[in-house]
Amino acid sequence: MSTAVETFEPAKPGSITRMEGRVVVTPLEMLDRATAQNAPVEILERLMALHERYEANRARQAFDAALASAKAEIPVILKNRTVDFTSQKGRTNYRHEDLAEIARTIDPILAKHGLSYRFRTKTEGGTATVTCIVSHRDGHSEENTLSAGHDNSGNKNSIQAVGSAITYLQRYTLKASLGLSASDDDDGKTTEPEVKVISHEQAEEIRDLIGKTSSNIDVFLKALKVESVADIPAKEYFRVIGMFTEKMKRVPQP
């Protein structure tokens, strides 16, 4: 019994699809016929499972098509915020796009293609975890999760430290989920931000993931344009962790 669909064209439930001169009966149509013929329960259960897989596959294809169309329309997002402060570790100076600017840019385009997103957050100990869930109106959704310690930079109190970390992770999980890019505004400023690298603990975490995923470290470092793991810019940390997290999902479990 084949349910292969050569080209995706959303069909109404229970409809009959025509492909290359052939009539392809959907699993729901087959289930209706089996029910009308008083088929055994075992046959009905198998057809119901087939129908569920068929619908899940259709929903995934619709999600992929909608996301591709949306990404083709989403422009480069403007970095509209500046962070500039000095601590015991030195001066921190960089520009970034806040969550409101990202939402203002992408929300109308995502809605046009039946896409939406939401966040699930969790704090445990000194760690905040944020999961971005991107969903399509046909039912398929995909998730991207990142974790980080509370943001104790500046003069933040404990609540602000948690909120800052969550907002930061919301931006990065959303950008990672949609493959977004950002660009500085053209305000004529020529000051280059100080390049900060990852911490020793973060470098050890990345080395561990390289080993667990059997990744080629030379290819990895060349892609990031750095000479060693310790030279990875701090701003790339979450993107790298997200990349290895996805790769870990494909590693066969013992």
Side-chain angles (χ1 to χ4, degrees), residues 148-170:
H150 296 169
D151 180 10
N152 296 309
S153 62
N155 296 315
K156 299 182 181 69
N157 60 39
S158 59
I159 300 299
Q160 291 171 329
V162 174
S164 178
I166 289 176
T167 300
Y168 186 85
L169 292 171
Q170 286 176 331

Side-chain angles (χ1 to χ4, degrees), residues 66-75 109 113:
L67 186 58
S69 297
K71 287 180 65 175
E73 297 181 24
I74 295 176
I109 298 173
H113 294 282

Side-chain angles (χ1 to χ4, degrees), residues 195-215:
V195 177
K196 299 180 72 66
V197 298
I198 59 176
S199 67
H200 174 73
E201 292 75 16
Q202 290 172 334
E204 287 298 315
E205 182 181 7
I206 291 174
R207 292 190 187 97
D208 183 56
L209 288 171
I210 290 174
K212 288 181 177 179
T213 56
S214 301
S215 300

Side-chain angles (χ1 to χ4, degrees), residues 142-194:
E142 295 189 359
E143 300 182 0
N144 192 297
T145 300
L146 291 175
S147 299
H150 296 169
D151 180 10
N152 296 309
S153 62
N155 296 315
K156 299 182 181 69
N157 60 39
S158 59
I159 300 299
Q160 291 171 329
V162 174
S164 178
I166 289 176
T167 300
Y168 186 85
L169 292 171
Q170 286 176 331
R171 288 196 295 115
Y172 273 85
T173 53
L174 179 57
K175 290 170 63 178
S177 296
L178 300 177
L180 302 180
S181 59
S183 175
D184 288 319
D185 57 350
D186 186 16
D187 59 3
K189 294 182 179 179
T190 58
T191 301
E192 292 292 331
E194 179 183 357

Side-chain angles (χ1 to χ4, degrees), residues 35-243:
T35 302
Q37 295 173 8
N38 296 319
V41 174
E42 293 78 7
I43 298 297
L44 297 179
E45 289 178 344
R46 291 173 60 185
L47 288 174
M48 179 60 72
L50 179 62
H51 169 66
E52 291 174 353
R53 294 197 301 271
Y54 176 79
E55 289 299 312
N57 186 56
R58 287 184 62 254
R60 181 187 58 78
Q61 291 182 41
F63 176 93
D64 290 344
L67 186 58
S69 297
K71 287 180 65 175
E73 297 181 24
I74 295 176
V76 174
I77 299 172
L78 180 68
K79 293 185 177 181
N80 64 327
R81 291 284 184 260
T82 299
V83 174
D84 191 352
F85 66 89
T86 302
S87 66
Q88 294 179 347
K89 297 180 180 179
R91 184 188 178 198
T92 298
N93 186 313
Y94 62 91
R95 294 183 61 80
H96 70 89
E97 67 290 355
D98 62 17
L99 189 59
E101 179 66 16
I102 297 175
R104 184 192 67 79
T105 304
I106 70 174
D107 284 4
I109 298 173
L110 294 180
K112 172 184 174 182
H113 294 282
L115 294 163
S116 63
Y117 60 89
R118 64 187 187 278
F119 300 101
R120 184 172 60 242
T121 62
K122 180 179 70 173
T123 58
E124 186 174 352
T127 300
T129 300
V130 171
T131 298
C132 177
I133 306 163
V134 180
S135 304
H136 185 254
R137 60 189 166 208
D138 282 4
H140 185 78
S141 64
E142 295 189 359
E143 300 182 0
N144 192 297
T145 300
L146 291 175
S147 299
H150 296 169
D151 180 10
N152 296 309
S153 62
N155 296 315
K156 299 182 181 69
N157 60 39
S158 59
I159 300 299
Q160 291 171 329
V162 174
S164 178
I166 289 176
T167 300
Y168 186 85
L169 292 171
Q170 286 176 331
R171 288 196 295 115
Y172 273 85
T173 53
L174 179 57
K175 290 170 63 178
S177 296
L178 300 177
L180 302 180
S181 59
S183 175
D184 288 319
D185 57 350
D186 186 16
D187 59 3
K189 294 182 179 179
T190 58
T191 301
E192 292 292 331
E194 179 183 357
V195 177
K196 299 180 72 66
V197 298
I198 59 176
S199 67
H200 174 73
E201 292 75 16
Q202 290 172 334
E204 287 298 315
E205 182 181 7
I206 291 174
R207 292 190 187 97
D208 183 56
L209 288 171
I210 290 174
K212 288 181 177 179
T213 56
S214 301
S215 300
N216 186 314
I217 189 170
D218 293 329
V219 174
F220 169 71
L221 295 176
K222 184 176 180 180
L224 288 178
K225 299 179 180 179
V226 295
E227 295 183 0
S228 69
V229 173
D231 294 328
I232 295 174
K235 66 179 182 180
E236 295 289 343
Y237 171 71
F238 290 110
R239 185 173 72 87
V240 170
I241 293 298
M243 178 185 70

